Amino acid sequence: MTRAKDSDRNDTCKVLDSALAEGQLSMEEHRQRVSAATNATTLGQLATLVEDLQNSNAPVQLPT
């Protein structure tokens, strides 16, 4: 279990923003996931928030 850095949380939010813009997430889903990302303490928690998204076009690529 690897602890998340602020930059990891910010990158996850950028991926979520991109998914919202592309219509993969509703506004409510986006709000919930961004809130969870902001409070995440591990990389695993962050990965769970984006694992079901197509994020090849996202502005950042998250570590695997």
Side-chain angles (χ1 to χ4, degrees):
M1 181 165 38
T2 305
R3 299 207 44 104
K5 301 179 291 189
D6 285 342
S7 61
D8 298 322
R9 286 184 277 276
N10 290 337
D11 286 350
T12 301
C13 289
K14 289 177 187 173
V15 171
L16 294 170
D17 291 347
S18 176
L20 174 66
E22 293 177 342
Q24 293 185 69
L25 295 175
S26 68
M27 287 294 287
E28 180 60 19
E29 243 183 327
H30 176 265
R31 186 192 65 74
Q32 291 172 353
R33 291 189 190 201
V34 166
S35 176
T38 303
N39 294 305
T41 55
T42 68
L43 290 179
Q45 290 171 316
L46 293 175
T48 301
L49 297 171
V50 297
E51 68 187 358
D52 63 333
L53 301 175
Q54 298 179 47
N55 59 15
S56 59
N57 292 334
V60 294
Q61 294 301 313
L62 301 175
T64 53

